[in-house]
Amino acid sequence: MDQPEDGRPNTRRASGYVPGPSFSRKLAHYANLTMRDEQLLDFLLDGQMLYVGAGQDMIREGVRPVFVKIVMEGWAARYKMLENGRRQIVGFLLPGDLCIPQAIMTMPLDHSIGAINDLHCAMVQPGQLDAVEQESIGIRRALAMDAQISLAIQREWTVNLGARAAPERIGCLICELYLRLKAVGMTQGTGYFCPLTQIELAEAAGVSAVHVNRVIKQMRREDLIRWRDQFIEIPDPFRLARACGFRPNYLQMSF
Amino acid sequence: MDQPEDGRPNTRRASGYVPGPSFSRKLAHYANLTMRDEQLLDFLLDGQMLYVGAGQDMIREGVRPVFVKIVMEGWAARYKMLENGRRQIVGFLLPGDLCIPQAIMTMPLDHSIGAINDLHCAMVQPGQLDAVEQESIGIRRALAMDAQISLAIQREWTVNLGARAAPERIGCLICELYLRLKAVGMTQGTGYFCPLTQIELAEAAGVSAVHVNRVIKQMRREDLIRWRDQFIEIPDPFRLARACGFRPNYLQMSF
DNA sequence: CGACACGTTGAAGATTCTCAATCCCAGTGG
DNA sequence: CCACTGGGATTGAGAATCTTCAACGTGTCG
């Protein structure tokens, strides 16, 4: 009864766990939120939690979700499987991201969501979210803007895959992740923890894993990025952005 | 003052022009709309119109739109220009499509919209749309679902460009357009009027125009499609869909 | 130790691109 | 009426990018 949509039983009351404020922190960039707005949002997430192990699916194509879900910790990927056996990742979900927004729940999902590393999600009843939106115009605005930015990101991925060569594609992805993580305070200097394997990066960039490996090798040689032990360091973000033609306007951000 | 966002003056009261019911027709697929709901929607579109000539931009990246706009006649394309000079089309806008939804108006546009052929759009004041949504839960639901399907289409384009080879890409695009046009009654048998040039199709499929030409040639040879004089005929939609791995679930439709 | 996942490298081959030329057709101006 | 123009479609040929297959290294974990 907790989450009939995927039948996974690993759900429990959040007792000891204190969720990070990624969600409210991100939304606060989009509209003026009062202290109370932020409290409302944080309180919303302080309920039932969902844990998904690395590599497991959180939800599968075809099911109709029941709860709104928000990433608290860990990364996930939206993806689709093709008849030809290929998997295409169509977006990454980072802490603070609405992985199951309310509006999506009106119909069967067109894609699946898988955990990249161990994933913690807050589960929210749609009614609760409605109530919070009722209370604050700031929250309504911020959520609407968040939804629009998600759409803009999806468009940018379309551009990335359609019009850029592999090195630029991969560079732009690395830049996007950097800025999105920075918005929720998850960068360290000009670097960030990145749990992606080269295989997953390949599935997102629409190239083979072998080719990703060669591109990364070249980017390392040019000192555009340093990547070891799941940590990506960008020595000079401007230089990387210039090299790969990255423009952050679609995120409503600048460097 | 009519549309400060793009300064185009070719706007006038719709006097003789009777808008097609594409918009209400499409929304009616998504939720149960009463006769009155459909009238409300059609009435909404019976106001100021915007005409954009073939090849002209309706609105450019960076501006903040003022009016909600809905395509009444003609096709348009959302696109982005890259530093490398390439243009990537990230979506087609067909009659009945919300090309400027309300939510997008909260921020500067991340992309431009250009008319493929001569384009007629209805302009709606955001307040009017709000009022209509207030009145009917059916309309609210249908609009929410429409927005979600737009997002699902964008995801599918991401998959298309990232994980399919050129022939499948182009085949899937042709299938998608067929179903979307069918939903608004704009097909004739198993064919439809298609104003796209091979160049535009190439910009949408993320391949060169020369390659599109060769792929089309091959598809003609296999009698998967017949395309002449801006009319695409699909002799056997199932066969085409099978050949290119097209699955219409993301449109919330079946053949 | 063995199994396994991931990263790395080489080499051959497929797909797709670019450049260049040609053709067709509609519109335009003389 | 006809030459001219321009956009789009078509074709050929060589080159670049990227894939696939295969092998091997490295580290982790049971």
Side-chain angles (χ1 to χ4, degrees), chain A residues 61 80 154 156 158 247, chain B residues 61 80 154 156 158 247:
Chain A
E61 182 172 344
K80 290 205 202 188
Q154 200 67 53
E156 180 64 18
T158 309
R247 282 175 43 215
Chain B
E61 183 172 344
K80 291 204 200 189
Q154 200 66 56
E156 180 63 18
T158 309
R247 283 175 43 215

Side-chain angles (χ1 to χ4, degrees), chain B residues 188-202:
Chain B
Q188 299 168 44
T190 57
Y192 56 91
F193 169 78
C194 174
L196 296 177
T197 63
Q198 293 186 359
I199 296 170
E200 286 156 341
L201 184 54

Side-chain angles (χ1 to χ4, degrees), chain B residues 167 213-224:
Chain B
N213 186 275
R214 289 191 234 267
V215 168
I216 295 288
K217 182 182 176 182
Q218 178 61 24
M219 292 176 79
R220 282 204 252 250
R221 189 173 303 139
E222 301 172 22
D223 200 33
L224 286 169

Side-chain angles (χ1 to χ4, degrees), chain A residues 61 80 82-83 86 88 90 103-104 107-108 110-111 148 154-156 158-159 161-162 206 245 247 249 252, chain B residues 61 80 82-83 86 88 90 103-104 107-108 110-111 148 154-156 158-159 161-162 206 245 247 249:
Chain A
E61 182 172 344
K80 290 205 202 188
L82 270 68
E83 332 63 50
R86 287 182 66 150
Q88 178 67 43
V90 298
I104 216 178
M107 25 185 228
D110 63 306
H111 63 278
Q148 283 310 305
Q154 200 67 53
R155 279 191 288 261
E156 180 64 18
T158 309
V159 171
L161 296 176
R247 282 175 43 215
N249 64 317
Q252 304 291 321
Chain B
E61 183 172 344
K80 291 204 200 189
L82 271 68
E83 332 62 49
R86 289 182 65 148
Q88 178 67 43
V90 299
I104 216 177
M107 26 185 226
D110 62 308
H111 63 278
Q148 282 311 304
Q154 200 66 56
R155 279 190 288 262
E156 180 63 18
T158 309
V159 171
L161 296 176
R247 283 175 43 215
N249 64 318

Side-chain angles (χ1 to χ4, degrees), chain A residues 89-105:
Chain A
I89 290 178
V90 298
F92 290 119
L93 296 162
L94 312 179
D97 283 346
L98 250 163
C99 60
I100 305 284
Q102 195 161 10
I104 216 178
M105 306 186 356

Side-chain angles (χ1 to χ4, degrees), chain A:
Chain A
M1 177 243 124
D2 273 349
Q3 9 147 203
E5 73 269 25
D6 48 14
R8 198 176 306 283
N10 50 350
T11 258
R12 61 172 175 75
R13 269 270 142 199
S15 49
Y17 181 66
V18 181
S22 300
F23 186 54
S24 56
R25 182 159 180 175
K26 185 174 67 149
L27 292 188
H29 291 298
Y30 300 151
N32 286 324
L33 298 188
T34 63
M35 197 88 72
R36 179 145 182 291
D37 288 340
E38 298 199 27
Q39 281 171 359
L40 278 173
L41 289 170
D42 290 335
F43 189 69
L44 201 61
L45 307 192
D46 188 21
Q48 218 151 315
M49 294 284 293
L50 170 67
Y51 297 88
V52 185
Q56 299 298 109
D57 279 337
M58 196 194 91
I59 194 166
R60 290 255 174 82
E61 182 172 344
V63 313
R64 192 191 293 265
V66 174
F67 287 95
V68 169
K69 301 197 187 73
I70 295 159
V71 179
M72 304 302 294
E73 245 188 89
W75 291 24
R78 290 189 204 279
Y79 70 89
K80 290 205 202 188
M81 295 300 309
L82 270 68
E83 332 63 50
N84 62 24
R86 287 182 66 150
R87 175 169 104 134
Q88 178 67 43
I89 290 178
V90 298
F92 290 119
L93 296 162
L94 312 179
D97 283 346
L98 250 163
C99 60
I100 305 284
Q102 195 161 10
I104 216 178
M105 306 186 356
T106 53
M107 25 185 228
L109 267 187
D110 63 306
H111 63 278
S112 304
I113 300 178
I116 302 279
N117 52 358
D118 286 344
L119 187 70
H120 301 197
C121 286
M123 303 210 301
V124 181
Q125 306 234 6
Q128 292 180 275
L129 187 56
D130 285 336
V132 168
E133 288 193 59
Q134 283 293 324
E135 289 222 14
S136 156
I137 182 157
I139 290 178
R140 273 199 303 285
R141 280 217 193 104
L143 285 171
M145 204 148 158
D146 188 62
Q148 283 310 305
I149 290 177
S150 298
L151 225 174
I153 290 174
Q154 200 67 53
R155 279 191 288 261
E156 180 64 18
W157 278 52
T158 309
V159 171
N160 208 25
L161 296 176
R164 286 198 260 253
E168 287 76 32
R169 270 186 221 185
I170 292 169
C172 282
L173 272 180
I174 290 172
C175 287
E176 178 186 305
L177 291 170
Y178 172 66
L179 284 187
R180 286 172 60 191
L181 288 167
K182 198 164 114 174
V184 290
M186 297 190 66
T187 46
Q188 298 167 45
T190 58
Y192 56 91
F193 170 77
C194 174
L196 296 178
T197 63
Q198 292 187 358
I199 296 170
E200 286 156 341
L201 184 54
E203 288 167 339
V207 295
S208 69
V210 171
H211 199 56
V212 163
N213 185 275
R214 289 191 235 268
V215 168
I216 295 288
K217 182 182 175 183
Q218 178 62 24
M219 292 176 80
R220 284 204 253 248
R221 190 174 302 140
E222 299 172 25
D223 201 33
L224 286 169
I225 58 166
R226 291 169 199 156
W227 185 354
R228 48 183 294 271
D229 296 338
Q230 303 198 310
F231 193 89
I232 294 182
E233 170 73 28
I234 308 174
D236 181 347
F238 286 96
R239 192 162 65 89
L240 175 57
R242 192 155 9 91
C244 63
F246 178 76
R247 282 175 43 215
N249 64 317
Y250 69 101
L251 297 170
Q252 304 291 321
M253 288 184 204
S254 48
F255 265 106

Side-chain angles (χ1 to χ4, degrees), chain B residues 85-162:
Chain B
R86 289 182 65 148
R87 175 169 104 134
Q88 178 67 43
I89 291 178
V90 299
F92 290 120
L93 296 162
L94 311 180
D97 283 346
L98 250 163
C99 61
I100 305 284
Q102 194 160 12
I104 216 177
M105 307 186 355
T106 53
M107 26 185 226
L109 267 187
D110 62 308
H111 63 278
S112 304
I113 300 178
I116 301 279
N117 52 357
D118 285 346
L119 187 70
H120 303 196
C121 287
M123 301 209 303
V124 180
Q125 306 235 7
Q128 293 179 273
L129 187 55
D130 285 336
V132 168
E133 289 192 57
Q134 284 292 324
E135 289 223 14
S136 155
I137 182 156
I139 291 179
R140 274 202 299 286
R141 281 217 193 104
L143 284 172
M145 205 150 156
D146 189 62
Q148 282 311 304
I149 290 177
S150 298
L151 226 173
I153 290 173
Q154 200 66 56
R155 279 190 288 262
E156 180 63 18
W157 279 51
T158 309
V159 171
N160 208 24
L161 296 176

